[in-house]
Amino acid sequence: QDLFDDYCDHLIVLDTALPGEQSEQIVGTYRLMRKQHAAKAGGYYSADEFAVASLMARHTNRNFLELGRSCVLPAYRSKRTIELLWQGIWAYARQNDIDVMIGCASFPGTIPAKHAEALTFLNTHAKVHSEWHIAPLPGRHVSMDMMPEEAIDLKSAINKLPPLIKGYLRLGAAFGDGAVIDPVFKTI
């Protein structure tokens, strides 16, 4: 939990076949933060790592939704659970007239070089267009351009992507300029 939780909407997937109260049947979650939520919370979670304000300033006519805290119990990390979460997000986005979804997606660990091929692949093949450019805050930037493009084995790079990032790519997501190391969650 963090200070943003009380201001957000929380999408959950339940397995009603599990015994106990509903709180014991939660198998997947997403945290959803609209502009109204961010205003009450003092900003977006991602703004502690990325220049979110500059992105929004360039797109004042857009309605943003920050996706965060995606969590699925290991036994439920299947296509079906993820599809249920994304169907819920899509319904939520339509209900709230969302134009743009933003958020952080993570690689495990805090050593970017361990993910050089996958990070370089994202930097080369899935970077946002210039009008949507976003970068880490000053002092937080970690380059994702870690190896020559011709050295990337596309199949290998895609296989090395975390499942959630693969899913985002299938949905058409694009990635900002650079990564950030999160020492609290021990992620990149």
Side-chain angles (χ1 to χ4, degrees):
Q1 292 183 329
D2 66 21
L3 65 97
F4 296 100
D5 286 330
D6 290 340
Y7 298 98
C8 296
D9 290 325
H10 298 269
L11 178 64
I12 61 172
V13 172
L14 301 173
D15 181 348
T16 57
L18 292 175
E21 301 292 318
Q22 278 190 338
S23 63
E24 296 168 357
Q25 297 173 334
I26 298 171
V27 299
T29 64
Y30 249 106
R31 183 169 76 180
L32 310 173
M33 181 179 263
R34 290 181 284 140
K35 187 177 187 177
Q36 302 88 319
H37 300 140
K40 291 177 185 173
Y44 290 92
Y45 172 83
S46 302
D48 287 341
E49 297 177 344
F50 292 89
V52 172
S54 69
L55 174 66
M56 292 184 179
R58 293 191 313 272
H59 300 282
T60 57
N61 61 330
R62 300 291 186 145
N63 194 9
F64 283 79
L65 173 68
E66 180 184 58
L67 303 174
R69 296 289 174 97
S70 172
C71 185
V72 177
L73 291 178
Y76 290 85
R77 291 183 183 155
S78 66
K79 184 178 178 184
R80 183 66 185 135
T81 305
I82 299 300
E83 284 177 350
L84 285 169
L85 285 166
W86 285 347
Q87 287 171 10
I89 292 167
W90 178 244
Y92 183 92
R94 292 190 62 192
Q95 179 181 5
N96 292 286
D97 298 318
I98 301 299
D99 299 309
V100 180
M101 294 182 221
I102 63 169
C104 298
S106 302
F107 284 82
T110 59
I111 302 172
K114 288 186 176 181
H115 305 287
E117 189 171 43
L119 289 169
T120 303
F121 168 81
L122 291 175
N123 187 66
T124 306
H125 296 283
K127 194 180 242 182
V128 295
H129 299 291
S130 60
E131 69 179 294
W132 294 99
H133 178 267
I134 188 166
L137 294 175
R140 307 272 329 250
H141 185 273
V142 174
S143 177
M144 291 171 50
D145 186 12
M146 304 177 80
M147 56 192 293
E149 182 178 353
E150 59 274 5
I152 300 170
D153 177 327
L154 292 180
K155 186 174 182 178
S156 171
I158 291 168
N159 285 334
K160 292 175 183 174
L161 293 171
L164 188 60
I165 292 177
K166 285 182 197 176
Y168 286 152
L169 284 172
R170 284 192 292 274
L171 293 173
F175 293 79
D177 179 26
V180 169
I181 295 173
D182 185 332
V184 175
F185 284 103
K186 295 181 178 32
T187 58
I188 302 164

